[in-house]
Amino acid sequence: MSQRLHWLLISIGLVLAGLAIVAHKHLSLGYPLLPDQTEASWTAEVRLAIQPEGGPVKVELDLPSVTPGLGRLRENFISRGYGLTTSEDRWSRTANWAVRRASQRQLLYYSGVFYPDRGEEDFAPVPPYPPVPRMSEPFATAMETIVEDVRRQSADISSFAAEMVARINSPSPSEEIALFLDSEQYRDNPVRVARTLLAGARIPTEQVNGFTLTHSERRAQPEQLLAVHNGREWLFFDPGTGRRGLPENFLIWWRGEQPVLAIDGAQLAELSWSIRRNELGALDLADQRASARDAWPSRLSMLDLPVQAQTVYAVLLLVPVGGFIMVLMRNLVGLRSFGTFMPVLIALAFRETGLTGGLVLFSLVVGAGLLLRFYLERLRLLLVPRLTAVLIIVVALMVLLSLISHQLGWEVGLSVGLFPMVIMAMVIERMSIVWEERGPGEALVEAAGTAVIASLAFFVMSRDHVQHLVFVFPEMLLAILGLTLLMGRYSGYRLSELLRFRRLAKEL
């Protein structure tokens, strides 16, 4: 493998790896690409009040398991004095409370936090085909008549179920449908009527019980939906309106006609449900979601670090961004500057002083320090003592500026202490050398280039979006590293050279 191919593969591989990890964290776990995003979540709570009969008490409560479009973040159980176990499999979950002896009114609570999850699509296992219900007359004849009529006016299971639900909800149902609706067994239960008639055509169905999560409700009531399996997927119908489709953010609590609750040794005094809508930060929600799934990003998240360390790394992770801007400005645009990373460090200092104040302070310190540096040149000092003297002069100038600005009431002058003193001393030393060797014009050009690059780096590094991306997705450093390697072998014309030689190019 040639060196050029090796360099190209490494560079592109790093860029793709960084972007792939970012895409995975965003698409699979919901880490936000923008700062200050919020997402809705809901806390669903059930409250049980039971009156024991004096002996052992056992309570079984069906719990939410899987719901298309919703994920479960965390759960809480409150049941003082009761033993609690949960039994669950892929499609169902049950909480079991038990106590040896209880006499007074008891309260049991369950609450869970649920959030939108586009990756959750499961609902229930593929059911077997049901047998045709055995019914007495005239229900058997009515069912056969309804099934034949609906079959003639439908093309497949989906249209068959939709037509059946529409007939059940018709304001003027046929005599056969009315026979079911008026019977004691099916009265006020359109889901049971639909399931019975669809079973007459051997179509698998399921009753779904749950809540539409939209806003807060203190007294929520479970809603019923009809689920129909067409051999490939589950289809949902609202038995009251006939509307097809699972409502957005519908939390499926339990499946089937059986009660959600079974109590042994006590009487149910009260069963109530409540829903509370929450607005959580999208970043916090994504981190909790990753922790709930035990996903690897949660174990390598910057959010798990102590707050003090997070603050430090929030700044340090911006340095590579400034370094890449430095690469672009020097290798692609052709700007000259003092030192390799001096503009980046000056840009970090601008974060405290602001751009305008930082440029003014930078000019004052460098200008005054340069004059004193010229005076030191007459003393013919050795290198190290001369650099130390320049450093002391820089510190003295910064102290002087702070005192003067404090007397004048200029707060920006107090931030000069955050300027990198050593870097400023090296700027003065480097500028004085260039001034003497290549003239004042060249020194001023490099000083201006340093200020321009520092200003541009500050502008990019101070963007909230950039700070958010590099902190939440530190994998972006891989992409930046790959791009830097790509730029590392660029040896073509720079933009400044094209502008400089444009007249020559026209003449040629």
Side-chain angles (χ1 to χ4, degrees):
M1 182 185 297
S2 65
Q3 287 188 350
R4 181 178 178 82
L5 181 59
H6 178 78
W7 156 75
L8 196 60
L9 291 177
I10 289 292
S11 303
I12 296 177
L14 287 171
V15 174
L16 294 180
L19 295 180
I21 296 174
V22 171
H24 169 71
K25 291 177 66 174
H26 173 64
L27 298 177
S28 300
L29 301 174
Y31 281 89
L33 294 175
L34 300 176
D36 301 327
Q37 281 187 295
T38 60
E39 287 188 20
S41 64
W42 295 267
T43 301
E45 181 184 88
V46 57
R47 177 179 182 273
L48 305 175
I50 58 175
Q51 184 62 51
E53 297 174 347
V57 177
K58 292 194 295 185
V59 179
E60 293 183 2
L61 175 69
D62 288 341
L63 303 177
S65 56
V66 288
T67 297
L70 286 177
R72 185 176 65 254
L73 197 59
R74 58 179 178 270
E75 296 175 309
N76 290 304
F77 298 86
I78 299 177
S79 51
R80 189 175 60 180
Y82 280 75
L84 171 65
T85 59
T86 57
S87 55
E88 61 180 284
D89 55 26
R90 179 70 180 89
W91 308 109
S92 63
R93 302 172 65 240
T94 304
N96 303 278
W97 285 283
V99 66
R100 177 70 62 181
R101 184 170 299 279
S103 56
Q104 298 180 346
R105 182 185 172 99
Q106 307 285 308
L107 293 176
L108 306 176
Y109 292 89
Y110 163 81
S111 65
V113 179
F114 303 89
Y115 62 93
D117 186 355
R118 295 187 296 270
E120 186 61 72
E121 298 178 350
D122 293 330
F123 158 62
V126 177
Y129 291 106
V132 176
R134 295 179 178 273
M135 309 184 74
S136 60
E137 294 296 346
F139 292 97
T141 302
M143 182 179 67
E144 291 178 5
T145 303
I146 295 170
V147 169
E148 289 302 320
D149 287 347
V150 173
R151 183 171 286 138
R152 282 195 297 270
Q153 298 181 14
S154 60
D156 51 18
I157 291 179
S158 175
S159 57
F160 186 98
E163 175 65 19
M164 185 67 77
V165 174
R167 291 189 177 210
I168 294 173
N169 286 284
S170 172
S172 56
S174 64
E175 293 181 354
E176 292 80 4
I177 295 286
L179 176 66
F180 282 91
L181 294 175
D182 293 338
S183 68
E184 182 177 353
Q185 181 182 359
Y186 297 99
R187 187 174 298 136
D188 299 328
N189 197 336
V191 176
R192 182 177 296 173
V193 176
R195 294 193 65 197
T196 301
L197 295 178
L198 290 171
R202 301 206 64 193
I203 296 176
T205 61
E206 186 71 272
Q207 177 176 320
V208 175
N209 310 276
F211 305 88
T212 302
L213 304 179
T214 54
H215 51 271
S216 299
E217 291 183 82
R218 292 189 60 188
R219 296 287 180 180
Q221 294 297 324
E223 307 167 28
Q224 283 76 45
L225 295 179
L226 174 66
V228 178
H229 199 273
N230 65 357
R232 301 184 305 275
E233 59 180 346
W234 285 100
L235 310 174
F236 296 90
F237 296 89
D238 187 328
T241 63
R243 186 172 64 87
R244 178 178 168 178
L246 187 66
E248 185 178 9
N249 299 326
F250 186 87
L251 172 63
I252 298 176
W253 197 287
W254 81 99
R255 294 181 283 112
E257 294 186 10
Q258 76 282 0
V260 67
L261 184 66
I263 303 176
D264 185 17
Q267 297 294 323
L268 178 63
E270 183 183 358
L271 172 63
S272 60
W273 316 78
S274 59
I275 307 292
R276 187 178 72 248
R277 178 188 171 97
N278 313 302
E279 290 291 341
L280 295 179
L283 181 57
D284 292 337
L285 185 59
D287 199 49
Q288 294 181 39
R289 182 186 304 145
S291 299
R293 296 180 182 178
D294 195 25
W296 65 265
S298 67
R299 297 190 291 273
L300 300 175
S301 174
M302 302 292 292
L303 300 174
D304 287 343
L305 294 176
V307 175
Q308 188 176 9
Q310 290 185 32
T311 305
V312 173
Y313 279 104
V315 176
L316 290 183
L317 288 171
L318 292 173
V319 174
V321 178
F324 182 66
I325 293 172
M326 181 78 183
V327 170
L328 291 178
M329 299 305 292
R330 291 190 60 161
N331 289 37
L332 202 61
V333 177
L335 284 182
R336 286 170 288 175
S337 64
F338 295 128
T340 304
F341 300 111
M342 206 173 289
V344 179
L345 299 177
I346 294 174
L348 287 177
F350 285 173
R351 285 166 49 86
E352 301 296 333
T353 62
L355 181 58
T356 304
L359 286 174
V360 171
L361 294 173
F362 173 79
S363 303
L364 289 176
V365 173
V366 172
L370 190 62
L371 292 176
L372 294 173
R373 168 65 178 78
F374 287 148
Y375 172 75
L376 293 177
E377 184 65 23
R378 297 183 179 181
L379 302 180
R380 299 188 179 280
L381 302 176
L382 296 177
L383 177 62
V384 175
R386 189 179 67 216
L387 287 177
T388 304
V390 173
L391 177 63
I392 295 171
I393 291 172
V394 168
V395 174
L397 288 173
M398 293 166 66
V399 172
L400 183 62
L401 283 175
S402 296
L403 293 174
I404 294 175
S405 63
H406 178 65
Q407 293 297 324
L408 297 176
W410 296 344
E411 294 185 359
V412 66
L414 301 177
S415 303
V416 73
L418 297 172
F419 262 56
M421 294 174 291
V422 176
I423 295 300
M424 297 295 288
M426 295 305 297
V427 168
I428 294 171
E429 175 67 17
R430 176 64 182 168
M431 189 172 180
S432 66
I433 293 175
V434 174
W435 190 296
E436 293 171 355
E437 294 180 352
R438 288 182 279 173
E442 188 70 18
L444 292 176
V445 167
E446 290 196 13
T450 302
V452 169
I453 296 175
S455 301
L456 184 60
F458 165 76
F459 178 78
V460 176
M461 294 160 64
S462 61
R463 299 300 95 186
D464 291 340
H465 294 72
V466 175
Q467 297 175 14
H468 172 82
L469 282 176
V470 295
F471 185 75
V472 178
F473 303 99
E475 301 79 13
M476 291 288 293
L477 296 185
L478 293 176
I480 296 175
L481 175 59
L483 293 173
T484 302
L485 294 181
L486 283 174
M487 291 297 303
R489 296 189 64 167
Y490 175 74
S491 57
Y493 288 107
R494 294 163 179 152
L495 182 59
S496 59
E497 293 172 338
L498 294 176
L499 294 175
R500 181 181 177 186
F501 298 111
R502 66 182 184 280
R503 182 176 296 176
L504 178 61
K506 289 180 180 178
E507 293 177 355
L508 294 176

